[in-house]
Amino acid sequence: MTGGPMGHLKLTAVTKSFGTAQVIKPTDLEIEDGAFTVFVGPSGCGKSTMLRMIAGLEEITSGTIEIDGKVVNDLAPVKRGISMVFQSYALYPHMSVFENIAFPLRVARLDQARVDALVAKAAAVLKLEDRLHHRPGELSGGQRQRVAIGRAIVREPSVFLFDEPLSNLDAALRAEMRVELSRLHKRLGNTMIYVTHDQVEAMTMADKIVVLRDGMVEQVGTPLELYHRPANRFVAGFIGNPNMNFLDVTCRAVAEGAVRIALPDGAEAEIPVAGAGVAAGDALTLGIRPDDLTIGGSAGAQLTIVPEVVERLGNQTVIYTATENGTPVCVVGGGFEDVRPGQPCAAGFDPGDAHLFRPDGAALGRTIDLGRLAELA
Amino acid sequence: MINRYKWWELVIIYTGMALFLAFILAPFAEAFMVSLRPLEKVFRVPYRFLTEDMTIRPYIDMWTSVPGLWRYILNSFFISCAVTVLALLCIIPAAYSFARFEYRFRNGILTAFLAVNMVGAAVLIIPLYKLMLSLGLLNTYWAMIIPGAAFSVPTGIFLMRSYFLRIPRELEDAAYVDGASRLYTLRRVILPVALPGIMVVTIATFIAAYAQQFLFALTFNSVTEYHPLPVGLYQFFGRERVLWNELMAASLVGILPVLFVYVFLQKYIVAGLTAGAVKE
Ligand SMILES: Nc1ncnc2c1ncn2[C@@H]1O[C@H](COP(=O)(O)OP(=O)(O)OP(=O)(O)O)[C@@H](O)[C@H]1O
Ligand SMILES: [Mg+2]
């Protein structure tokens, strides 16, 4: 690896249309070199398209893409210094693992000694040394995945693109590969952009998450920023598992640094958020994560809920409930939660944990101290 | 696998297959039997399948009755090979383009190709004759090779296209990302992966070329030395008598090259060559 800045990526007003359909709305995005960035979003939101545009596989309709300060709109992928691992592995079935990994080097006409050395290096990183003479068809899923990664790292690109590389692996292998990829990133230190719709992958691997919806960037931030300070209802609902609960509430009063709301059953609570642009009487949406609700209720606000399905996972209990007017609410409690389907109970939450959203979906600013979380990183 | 058929279903299936095979193979069996009989015993009444007077003499005599026979067989083989090579040179790039590129009238052109095939060579023989005449190709090998290739191209494109369509596009994207040009990708990635398909098309084209050369040879060529086997066989039709036994012997020997090509190429038609390319 050479020193100096490498893999700094900047998108300015980039759009993409297929025919008349604009699948990427004007997008500005900046990715620092060396960052591990994850694109998440629901299926069909344009993640692959965005990645393919960065790769140079898809022409952009308008805007500019810069890598390390150079506009690369019209450059072929190799000239951009990127390499890509595809959603399917896209290995060459008729070539050995060695030749698969060596392919970019063969294209570049490196001499055999260089090829041997570079392939050996990549194979060592990915622990593929004793598989080099096999065909892809003789490998397991995880090994094929590593061959695909090997082919991508062998020419030492400055930006690395992954399109859902782990989506077809079983859970155990996914977890293993996730750790391996994070390790690889630490070791190589180059920019990686990783597409997934797996939350856990996004939260655990990313330095920075980009949440996409319908071709638009909804929010960019660190995993914890997105979790604790989602910019809008979509991001709030998308990040976190199980999903955040949403309840329709009414604004009663707006004070300095707090909004007083009426819960569906009439109870009132004061949520410590900035009340800009909200007036008494407005319909708002209250967001509360399943783990922030406690059965039995203690301090703060209270809801009355009726459990419908109770899943006991040993260390925790996932309780699917509904409020009196039928809004579904999910609660995650401890392993010994005393609830039974059909028996109403109270659930309490600390108003400090709640989120409030305006009717247009935008979140009211929370006062949570992100500095404390940053210290943990 | 669980045996899904009842015994009587199996009986029906096998009877059907036996009937079908008998229907197809009976002419060959009879041709073979005739080729082993002395000429005067060919039309023996009553018919007997196996007789004591069987001999391999026709297989020896045919070379002297029609001295050019070996030449006709070689001509046939040569013309078919040339047709196959020429056709493949057109089929592979054309099929790749139909499978991968987007352009105006793409489907229209494909349909037009197939429409030509439906009309067939026989209908177009007169215009083709004029064409050959004005190009000065009559009475050359080209007169048999070019039309032969032209008429195998449409089916070939159709077959080959479906093979190319089965190759994942990401394979090409991957090669492109790694810096390979279109042609490099075609040569190093697409063609090797499509090899079984290419073999199928090669065999199909070769067999079709072998079978269809009669028409073109008969119409466009009157030079005896250039005749392929089907036309050459006419020389077994004498003024007073037809040498049926030698004719059959020569026909059977004439089939051998096709068999040879088939056996030789068939080992490349291995299933599952793309195994491991993409996630299943
Ligand atoms: N070649 C194309 N022609 C027309 N529309 C396309 C093309 N490729 C993608 N699209 C459209 O663009 C949108 C985004 O597709 P894309 O493949 O980027 O989604 P994605 O976020 O990767 O989804 P997934 O998570 O399912 O992979 C989709 O609505 C899709 O229909
Ligand atoms: Mg995708």
Side-chain angles (χ1 to χ4, degrees):
Chain A
M1 293 282 107
T2 50
M6 49 188 302
H8 184 98
L9 188 82
K10 192 170 169 203
L11 274 63
T12 316
V14 168
T15 68
K16 174 73 191 175
S17 304
F18 289 110
T20 52
Q22 194 176 49
V23 298
I24 301 289
K25 312 272 160 36
T27 298
D28 295 310
L29 189 64
E30 192 156 354
I31 293 170
E32 294 81 33
D33 45 276
F36 197 117
T37 305
V38 172
F39 288 0
V40 288
S43 192
C45 68
K47 304 182 295 290
S48 298
T49 308
M50 190 82 100
L51 208 64
R52 291 171 61 87
M53 290 195 303
I54 296 171
L57 283 169
E58 209 80 70
E59 258 177 61
I60 61 174
T61 308
S62 69
T64 56
I65 298 181
E66 286 168 58
I67 295 179
D68 292 336
K70 197 169 83 183
V71 176
V72 296
N73 285 13
D74 300 319
L75 289 187
V78 238
K79 300 263 169 60
R80 299 181 180 201
I82 62 103
S83 70
M84 181 157 171
V85 177
F86 288 83
Q87 197 157 1
S88 68
Y89 314 117
L91 298 178
Y92 310 123
H94 58 292
M95 296 181 189
S96 64
V97 167
F98 182 95
E99 284 303 325
N100 264 285
I101 297 178
F103 189 84
L105 310 175
R106 299 265 186 239
V107 174
R109 294 179 194 280
L110 264 58
D111 60 64
Q112 188 63 37
R114 283 282 288 149
V115 171
D116 286 342
L118 287 171
V119 173
K121 194 171 143 200
V125 171
L126 296 163
K127 299 191 216 81
L128 281 168
E129 293 103 327
D130 49 350
R131 289 281 175 274
L132 285 178
H133 298 290
H134 293 239
R135 293 278 176 91
E138 301 158 358
L139 302 180
S140 71
Q143 287 166 339
R144 285 180 205 174
Q145 187 56 67
R146 285 189 301 210
V147 176
I149 295 171
R151 191 174 60 188
I153 63 173
V154 74
R155 61 190 167 82
E156 307 186 342
S158 52
V159 182
F160 231 149
L161 308 175
F162 293 91
D163 192 351
E164 302 200 32
L166 308 185
S167 58
N168 274 35
L169 302 181
D170 64 54
L173 202 50
R174 271 171 98 119
E176 192 181 312
M177 288 301 297
R178 209 160 63 212
V179 177
E180 261 180 61
L181 278 174
S182 296
R183 207 173 278 153
L184 189 72
H185 176 240
K186 285 220 175 62
R187 194 158 163 178
L188 300 177
N190 43 6
T191 307
M192 294 197 179
I193 302 178
Y194 188 102
V195 165
T196 181
H197 44 227
D198 183 311
Q199 292 238 6
V200 184
E201 278 173 31
M203 295 298 283
T204 55
M205 299 169 84
D207 295 324
K208 202 174 184 186
I209 297 180
V210 178
V211 183
L212 291 165
R213 175 169 61 156
D214 292 340
M216 287 223 287
V217 174
E218 292 285 328
Q219 192 175 0
V220 181
T222 66
L224 292 182
E225 253 168 51
L226 261 54
Y227 186 85
H228 292 291
R229 264 194 199 161
N232 54 44
R233 192 179 151 163
F234 174 77
V235 175
F238 196 76
I239 303 284
N241 195 14
N243 295 345
M244 186 183 277
N245 300 304
F246 294 108
L247 298 165
D248 293 326
V249 296
T250 324
C251 178
R252 276 284 143 81
V254 181
E256 181 75 18
V259 176
R260 193 159 187 84
I261 53 157
L263 291 167
D265 54 9
E268 295 204 355
E270 196 161 83
I271 313 290
V273 294
V278 183
D282 283 1
L284 297 176
T285 306
L286 175 81
I288 180 83
R289 297 202 183 270
D291 342 59
D292 293 332
L293 284 166
T294 26
I295 296 292
S298 50
Q302 291 265 350
L303 290 172
T304 309
I305 50 173
V306 185
E308 289 169 343
V309 177
V310 179
E311 291 177 349
R312 296 196 183 272
L313 304 179
N315 63 335
Q316 55 173 219
T317 309
V318 183
I319 311 152
Y320 298 94
T321 71
T323 60
E324 278 154 353
N325 55 11
T327 316
V329 171
C330 178
V331 180
V332 174
F336 298 95
E337 221 55 81
D338 182 23
V339 285
R340 280 177 199 83
Q343 292 183 6
C345 58
F349 62 92
D350 176 354
D353 291 332
H355 302 243
L356 266 186
F357 303 96
R358 285 207 303 259
D360 64 0
L364 300 181
R366 298 183 72 208
T367 49
I368 182 161
D369 180 16
L370 281 176
R372 207 178 81 221
L373 291 164
E375 279 164 22
L376 298 174
Chain B
M1 198 172 83
I2 299 163
N3 197 350
R4 288 171 296 130
Y5 297 110
K6 303 224 170 8
W7 69 269
W8 54 269
E9 286 172 322
L10 283 175
V11 168
I12 293 175
I13 290 166
Y14 279 100
T15 315
M17 284 201 274
L19 273 175
F20 183 70
L21 278 179
F23 191 73
I24 289 184
L25 292 179
F28 286 92
E30 179 59 10
F32 184 62
M33 295 325 274
V34 168
S35 76
L36 291 174
R37 287 182 182 130
L39 185 60
E40 53 285 2
K41 299 291 166 54
V42 167
F43 294 104
R44 176 177 15 220
V45 181
Y47 178 81
R48 279 165 60 201
F49 192 66
L50 280 175
T51 52
E52 321 69 60
D53 52 16
M54 288 198 159
T55 161
I56 56 161
R57 274 232 70 87
Y59 284 90
I60 297 159
D61 291 342
M62 65 182 185
W63 304 102
T64 40
S65 324
V66 180
L69 185 58
W70 63 272
R71 171 103 202 208
Y72 303 142
I73 294 178
L74 278 185
N75 279 343
S76 269
F77 191 68
F78 166 71
I79 292 172
S80 292
C81 286
V83 165
T84 309
V85 170
L86 189 63
L88 281 179
L89 285 180
C90 303
I91 289 169
I92 291 173
Y96 182 67
S97 135
F98 279 124
R100 276 298 185 263
F101 301 131
E102 295 279 343
Y103 42 88
R104 251 134 76 78
F105 309 126
R106 183 180 65 173
N107 295 334
I109 296 170
L110 192 59
T111 317
F113 265 116
L114 290 177
V116 171
N117 239 30
M118 268 176 242
V119 175
V123 179
L124 298 172
I125 207 81
I126 307 288
L128 268 177
Y129 185 88
K130 289 226 41 176
L131 196 67
M132 292 295 152
L133 184 66
S134 40
L135 290 175
L137 292 178
L138 285 180
N139 302 323
T140 64
Y141 279 125
W142 290 115
M144 295 170 271
I145 293 170
I146 294 175
F151 281 97
S152 10
V153 162
T155 340
I157 289 180
F158 214 66
L159 268 177
M160 201 63 235
R161 188 184 76 115
S162 61
Y163 266 88
F164 283 138
L165 285 174
R166 291 221 308 251
I167 298 179
R169 201 179 275 262
E170 290 200 336
L171 228 49
E172 279 160 86
D173 286 346
Y176 181 59
V177 167
D178 288 339
S181 66
R182 273 266 180 214
L183 279 180
Y184 187 93
T185 310
L186 189 66
R187 194 159 52 84
R188 292 293 313 278
V189 177
I190 303 302
L191 292 187
V193 173
L195 194 65
I198 295 175
M199 286 306 152
V200 169
V201 173
T202 306
I203 291 174
T205 310
F206 187 86
I207 292 174
Y210 215 84
Q212 78 178 174
Q213 53 190 216
F214 174 70
L215 181 65
F216 303 124
L218 199 66
T219 3
F220 301 151
N221 178 44
S222 49
V223 182
T224 321
E225 287 83 60
Y226 296 165
H227 275 321
L229 184 69
V231 181
L233 286 178
Y234 270 82
Q235 296 187 14
F236 287 103
F237 290 65
R239 234 171 259 289
E240 292 108 48
R241 56 182 196 155
V242 180
L243 299 171
W244 287 113
N245 51 355
E246 290 177 25
L247 178 65
M248 288 308 137
S251 308
L252 290 177
V253 170
I255 296 171
L256 286 182
V258 182
L259 230 58
F260 176 73
V261 166
Y262 184 77
V263 170
F264 180 71
L265 294 184
Q266 174 242 24
K267 70 163 185 271
Y268 293 98
I269 311 177
V270 277
L273 199 71
T274 50
V278 293
K279 286 184 255 206
E280 278 86 32

